[in-house]
């Protein structure tokens, strides 16, 4: 029945027809190649700079990503844990940060080799665009490539410019941004410094951030360009209000979770990164790209265990990497063009993990955990697009790719071995090959139909491999000990889609996908803030994605994206729950929905501009109404109704007025989110041991701001 549903969707897409006038010229990363978005044999969404700025105060990736089909971007309103992002269901179980998807900023990986990433380090105030790649071609990015999110910082224009921006909002939100850009000769630079502060909606949820992002571009000679990226992220504090139980949520959604205030649960983060990307064009048919980067990240987190005591975890990370790829073009004897790429990626991350006890939110006693964790990868990849101009009377493009990946996870226990604290050292290697095959039928200049297949894998993260279960029966416990028995899950991806531009002002994208995963990593036992994982289930993800946007008239445009996703466990497995001092084995039956993933999601937007919409942000008044809706989301593998969040729909309204003041521009803007003051759950902590699943969404909230831009 499930497979029949997939193929029914395929036939529905293939029955589409087109009568069109113009084609899409937007260029995107189609796998590891730059290609016209309309021709890319994959689901690729682009969010431009204007859309990023109009989406909100430019604090969280979730603001802009909510308009991308297949992406679930949930704002926890908890800056100690970052936003929760999943793509086609991958990454939904992450208790903090990102996992299961790849994040890349200005060509530099922001995801370490084990699949962990941090969305908070993306500088949205200086971003020019965000691309989201889903489907089989994402497997060419290696481990945990359920999807790929790439952000790009804007480059300096010919005219030097200074920008200043201040945003104020509900619950003590203060956002400032100071930006300067300029070019001299062949060198251009953009430097951006932003700050963020919030008192928080919930008790104990205040946060503060400071961020610097700079991109320097230099045309060293004809055909050779260097890009240097430097950024720094400082979060001196982000209070963690923890999740709420169902009873706490019903009584008062603004309260902090159990023992959060007594233990002053919070996180402190500092990250610095420097990277460089060099591009050299040997000829029109051969181009080289090389990248190198290095950085550090210090992370200190205070957690709650009881009313009088807690724990702390500190991570001191160093990361670095190199990448090289060669892009070329050639022609066959029959005159058909072949685009190809060959490349290598080598990345490494090492962190000293320490931990101990706290009293009233401060460290106390000796260090009880001290180990060095390391993740590294060495990957080779290749891709080619073979353009067949005279096959079956219509142009076709055949796509093939492969990635050979080797990922190492290691842990060195630096605590002396005792009878009560055995050696926790260990290592494991994951080696696999990820092939991709696809074909695109260029039915007309305005309609492309594509189908592709790919195989991917997802290793456990260092955080998931950091704990193991010891003992049996009611003597079981979760201990801080490297678990080498976790295997990488393997996935088979199938996708069929259409891309249609019936007019120059309208675009329709639709895709049907079917993903089967073996050895899915699931929760084995969660106890006292520590979670051990195991491989226990087969899963099925299948669904339909739709994206439509159109300019309805000179002053009106609209956008719609919809996702239907059925994500289920395809086989039964057993997990363990702890109640008090007793342990109970629970069987999760086949057919249960995977937690953290809504089955339906909708984004709809109507926008109006007094001066119409052009290539440059128009002067005058502009207004928009956005509707965001999601269906019920489960919080546990067992799909208990008491561990689920009801579906909801939110209406957000924004106004923006742009003025020309002499040579400069001034923008004044205001926005109201959750206009109807809907009470809802913003995100869920999946399989939380104490049933503190719920993170409330914000009630009606507003912001106002002003931005000034002045040519220099």
């Amino acid at each position: 029945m499930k497979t029949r549903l997939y193929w029914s969707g395929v036939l529905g897409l293939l029955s589409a027809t087109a009568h069109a006038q113009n084609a899409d010229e937007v260029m995107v990363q189609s796998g590891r190649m730059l290609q016209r978005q309309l021709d890319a044999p994959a689901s690729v969404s682009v969010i431009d700079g204007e859309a990023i700025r109009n989406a909100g105060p430019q604090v969280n990736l979730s603001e802009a990503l909510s308009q991308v089909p297949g992406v679930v971007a949930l704002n926890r309103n908890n800056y100690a844990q970052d936003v929760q992002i999943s793509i086609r269901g991958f990454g939904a179980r992450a208790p903090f940060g990102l996992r299961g998807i790849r994040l890349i900023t200005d060509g530099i990986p922001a995801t370490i080799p084990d699949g962990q990433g941090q969305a908070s380090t993306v500088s949205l105030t200086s971003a020019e665009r965000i691309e989201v790649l889903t489907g089989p071609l994402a497997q060419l990015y290696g481990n945990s490539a359920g999807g790929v999110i790439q952000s790009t910082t804007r480059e300096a224009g010919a005219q030097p410019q200074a920008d200043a921006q201040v945003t104020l909002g509900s619950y003590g939100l203060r956002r400032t941004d100071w930006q300067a850009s300029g070019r001299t000769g062949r060198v251009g630079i953009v430097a951006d410094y932003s700050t963020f502060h919030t008192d928080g909606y919930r008790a104990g949820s205040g946060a503060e951030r400071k961020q610097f992002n700079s991109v320097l571009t230099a045309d060293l000679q004809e055909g050779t360009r260097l890009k240097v990226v430097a950024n720094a992220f400082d979060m001196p504090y982000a209070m963690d209000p923890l999740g709420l139980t169902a009873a706490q949520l019903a009584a008062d959604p603004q309260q902090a979770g159990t023992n959060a205030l007594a233990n002053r649960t919070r996180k402190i983060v500092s990250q610095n990164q420097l990277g460089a990307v060099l591009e050299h064009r040997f000829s029109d048919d051969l181009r080289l790209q090389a990248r190198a980067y290095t950085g550090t990240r210090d992370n200190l987190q205070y957690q709650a265990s009881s009313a009088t005591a807690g724990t702390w975890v500190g991570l001191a990370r160093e990361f670095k990497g190199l990448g090289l790829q060669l892009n070329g073009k050639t022609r066959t004897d029959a005159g058909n063009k072949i685009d190809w790429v060959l490349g290598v990626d080598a990345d490494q991350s090492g962190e000293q993990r320490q931990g101990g006890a706290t009293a009233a939110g401060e460290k106390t006693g000796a260090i009880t955990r001290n180990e060095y964790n390391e993740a590294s990868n060495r990957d080779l990849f290749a891709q080619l697009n073979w353009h067949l101009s005279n096959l079956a009377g219509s142009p076709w493009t055949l796509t093939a790719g492969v990635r050979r990946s080797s990922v190492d996870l290691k842990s060195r226990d630096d605590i002396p071995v005792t009878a009560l604290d055995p050696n926790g050292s260990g290592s494991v290697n994951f080696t696999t090959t990820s092939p991709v095959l696809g074909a695109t039928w260029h039915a007309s200049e305005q309609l492309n139909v594509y189908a592709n297949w790919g195989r991917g894998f997802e290793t456990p993260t260092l955080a998931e491999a950091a704990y193991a279960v010891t003992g049996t029966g009611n003597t079981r416990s979760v201990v801080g000990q490297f678990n080498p028995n976790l295997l990488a899950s393997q996935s088979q991806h199938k996708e069929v889609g259409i891309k249609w531009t019936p007019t120059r002002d309208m675009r329709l994208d639709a895709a049907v996908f079917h993903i089967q995963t073996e050895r899915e990593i699931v929760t084995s036992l969660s106890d006292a803030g520590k979670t051990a994982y195991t491989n226990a289930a087969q899963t099925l993800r299948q669904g339909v994605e739709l994206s439509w946007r159109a300019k309805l008239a000179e002053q009106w445009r609209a956008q719609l994206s919809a996702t239907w996703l059925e994500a289920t466990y395809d086989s039964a497995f057993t997990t363990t729950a702890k109640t008090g001092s007793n342990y109970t084995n629970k069987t999760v039956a086949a057919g249960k929905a995977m937690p953290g993933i809504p089955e339906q999601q909708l984004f709809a937007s109507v926008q109006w501009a007094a001066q119409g919409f052009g290539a440059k942000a128009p002067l005058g008044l502009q207004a928009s109404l956005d509707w965001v809706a999601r269906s019920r989301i489960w919080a546990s593998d067992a799909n208990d109704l008491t561990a689920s969040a009801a579906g909801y729909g939110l209406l957000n309204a924004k106004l923006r007025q742009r003025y020309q003041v002499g040579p400069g521009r001034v923008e004044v803007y205001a926005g109201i989110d959750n206009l109807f003051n809907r009470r809802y759950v913003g995100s869920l902590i999946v399989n939380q041991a104490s049933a503190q699943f719920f993170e409330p969404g914000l009630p009606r909230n507003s912001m106002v701001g002003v931005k000034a831009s002045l040519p220099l």
Side-chain angles (χ1 to χ4, degrees):
M1 178 66 70
K2 295 174 181 178
T3 303
R4 187 186 310 157
L5 178 62
Y6 166 70
W7 287 112
S8 297
V10 170
L11 293 174
L13 290 182
L14 291 177
S15 67
T17 59
H19 304 282
Q21 300 171 1
N22 211 333
D24 189 331
E25 296 297 338
V26 176
M27 303 300 288
V28 297
Q29 285 292 330
S30 173
R32 304 303 296 242
M33 292 183 180
L34 191 65
Q35 192 173 7
R36 204 171 62 133
Q37 186 180 12
L38 181 66
D39 294 331
S43 297
V44 186
S45 298
V46 178
I47 309 169
D48 62 23
E50 182 183 358
I52 295 170
R53 290 184 287 275
N54 289 340
Q58 302 161 74
V59 176
N60 300 301
L61 264 178
S62 56
E63 299 166 16
L65 290 180
S66 61
Q67 61 189 268
V68 179
V71 176
V72 178
L74 304 178
N75 185 358
R76 297 178 181 272
N77 296 299
N78 178 351
Y79 294 93
Q81 303 297 349
D82 215 342
V83 296
Q84 189 179 63
I85 299 175
S86 63
I87 298 179
R88 292 186 177 177
F90 290 94
R93 73 171 181 271
F96 57 87
L98 304 183
R99 60 106 56 248
I101 57 181
R102 308 299 292 183
L103 182 62
I104 300 171
T105 59
D106 292 302
I108 305 296
T111 301
I112 61 176
D114 69 340
Q116 295 182 88
Q118 304 293 329
S120 59
T121 56
V122 176
S123 177
L124 293 173
T125 50
S126 54
E128 179 183 55
R129 61 190 270 151
I130 297 172
E131 288 185 24
V132 182
L133 170 66
T134 62
L137 282 186
Q139 308 315 310
L140 295 177
Y141 287 84
N143 179 27
S144 297
V148 183
I149 301 173
Q150 301 196 53
S151 67
T152 304
T153 300
R154 76 178 186 90
E155 294 189 7
Q159 175 72 48
Q161 181 173 304
D163 300 89
Q165 183 175 7
V166 178
T167 303
L168 302 175
S170 301
Y171 312 111
L173 183 148
R174 295 195 304 272
R175 176 71 152 157
T176 68
D177 181 57
W178 313 91
Q179 196 170 143
S181 63
R183 180 173 293 277
T184 175
R186 295 185 172 186
V187 178
I189 187 170
V190 172
D192 177 81
Y193 177 72
S194 61
T195 68
F196 167 71
H197 170 89
T198 180
D199 295 332
Y201 164 64
R202 298 174 58 197
S205 63
E208 186 173 303
R209 293 178 180 172
K210 303 170 186 176
Q211 190 166 10
F212 173 77
N213 186 53
S214 178
V215 173
L216 180 147
T217 55
D219 295 312
L220 303 180
Q221 63 182 39
E222 184 68 28
T224 303
R225 162 171 271 214
L226 175 67
K227 176 189 285 188
V228 179
V229 182
N231 49 62
F233 177 84
D234 179 30
M235 187 167 69
Y237 73 92
M239 306 306 294
D240 187 352
L242 306 180
L244 299 177
T245 64
Q248 291 171 331
L249 178 70
D252 179 11
Q254 285 192 265
Q255 67 179 301
T258 305
N259 301 324
L261 298 182
N263 287 277
R264 294 178 58 222
T265 49
R266 63 197 187 277
K267 183 182 286 186
I268 302 165
V269 176
S270 176
Q271 177 170 311
N272 299 284
Q273 179 174 289
L274 179 66
V277 179
L278 178 69
E279 295 184 352
H280 177 70
R281 189 178 70 248
F282 296 102
S283 68
D284 290 341
D285 294 333
L286 189 62
R287 181 168 55 88
L288 175 72
Q289 183 187 87
R291 63 170 172 83
Y293 68 95
T294 185
T296 61
R297 181 181 177 89
D298 293 316
N299 189 106
L300 177 59
Q301 184 169 6
Y302 293 84
Q303 302 169 323
S305 295
S306 68
T308 58
T311 58
W312 64 271
V313 177
L315 303 174
R317 177 183 298 166
E318 295 182 349
F319 54 91
K320 57 188 177 182
L322 298 169
L324 189 70
Q325 70 180 55
L326 195 64
N327 293 72
K329 299 178 181 179
T330 188
R331 288 188 178 273
T332 66
D333 293 340
N336 295 316
K337 186 175 70 172
I338 297 177
D339 301 323
W340 56 268
V341 59
L342 296 171
V344 58
D345 290 330
D347 307 280
Q348 183 179 23
S349 173
E351 60 191 27
Q352 193 73 36
R353 173 191 289 264
Q354 296 182 325
T358 65
E362 297 297 335
K363 295 180 182 179
T364 183
I367 293 176
T368 58
R369 187 168 191 182
N370 188 16
E371 62 192 40
Y372 185 76
N373 302 144
E374 183 179 343
S376 61
N377 70 275
R378 301 169 304 282
D379 292 13
L380 300 172
F381 63 87
Q383 180 186 347
L384 67 83
N385 289 344
W386 188 357
H387 306 281
L388 302 173
S389 57
N390 293 304
L391 181 64
S394 296
W396 284 73
T397 298
L398 303 182
T399 299
V402 65
R403 187 177 181 107
R404 179 66 173 175
S405 301
S406 179
V407 179
D408 290 305
L409 303 183
K410 300 177 183 179
S411 181
R412 185 192 69 215
D413 193 344
D414 292 335
I415 290 286
V417 176
T418 67
L420 297 177
D421 189 0
N423 186 7
S425 301
S427 65
V428 64
N429 170 264
F430 304 97
T431 301
T432 190
T433 300
S434 302
V436 171
L437 294 172
T440 304
W441 173 41
H442 305 282
S444 71
E445 283 295 318
Q446 296 78 35
L447 174 66
N448 285 330
V449 181
Y450 67 89
N452 50 39
W453 166 91
R455 190 168 65 205
F457 76 110
E458 182 177 359
T459 73
T461 65
L462 284 171
E464 290 171 335
Y467 296 98
V469 177
T470 63
T472 58
N474 285 343
T475 67
R476 281 174 287 186
S477 63
V478 179
V479 297
Q481 184 175 340
F482 186 77
N483 181 7
N485 298 318
L486 271 178
L487 304 175
S489 62
Q490 292 187 334
S491 52
Q492 300 272 355
H493 301 247
K494 302 172 187 174
E495 179 182 49
V496 172
I498 62 169
K499 299 184 179 186
W500 181 31
T501 55
T503 73
R504 63 179 302 162
D505 295 324
M506 184 180 296
R507 178 185 176 91
L508 173 69
D509 290 48
V512 178
F513 60 90
H514 182 276
I515 307 167
Q516 290 179 299
T517 303
E518 296 182 351
R519 300 197 300 264
E520 188 83 37
I521 299 173
V522 299
T523 300
S524 173
L525 175 62
S526 185
D527 181 20
K530 297 176 290 188
T531 302
Y533 295 84
T534 187
N535 300 96
Q538 295 178 325
T539 62
L540 173 65
R541 297 170 174 91
Q542 61 176 351
V544 178
E545 297 167 355
L546 177 69
S547 176
W548 171 83
R549 62 182 64 209
K551 184 176 179 181
L552 305 177
E554 189 62 29
Q555 295 176 305
W556 291 90
R557 64 184 183 186
Q559 180 180 350
L560 173 72
S561 69
T563 304
W564 177 85
L565 170 59
E566 183 184 65
T568 58
Y569 292 112
D570 226 16
S571 63
F573 67 96
T574 301
T575 185
T576 303
K578 183 181 180 182
T579 305
S581 59
N582 296 318
Y583 293 83
T584 304
N585 290 333
K586 290 187 175 181
T587 298
V588 177
K592 291 290 185 180
M594 298 176 67
I597 307 168
E599 191 169 289
Q600 291 99 26
Q601 183 171 258
L602 175 72
F603 173 86
S605 177
V606 177
Q607 302 161 34
W608 172 84
Q611 302 299 320
F613 296 95
K616 187 178 181 181
L619 296 174
L621 185 64
Q622 185 173 337
S624 66
L625 282 175
D626 297 341
W627 176 259
V628 181
R630 296 184 177 97
S631 62
R632 179 178 298 276
I633 306 178
W634 302 102
S636 70
D637 291 324
N639 292 179
D640 298 323
L641 278 175
T642 56
S644 69
Y648 60 87
L650 306 178
L651 185 65
N652 305 323
K654 296 181 177 64
L655 285 173
R656 187 176 299 267
Q657 175 76 44
R658 296 186 177 97
Y659 303 93
Q660 190 76 36
V661 181
R665 273 194 170 201
V666 175
E667 295 183 21
V668 180
Y669 52 90
I672 300 177
D673 286 348
N674 195 1
L675 196 62
F676 296 142
N677 202 28
R678 179 73 184 271
R679 188 166 175 171
Y680 71 104
V681 172
S683 65
L684 293 165
I685 305 172
V686 171
N687 291 322
Q688 211 280 336
S690 303
Q692 294 177 235
F693 303 115
F694 306 101
E695 295 180 301
L698 295 184
R700 184 186 298 117
N701 62 98
S702 60
M703 68 170 189
V704 295
V706 60
K707 179 181 179 181
S709 302
L710 180 66
L712 300 177

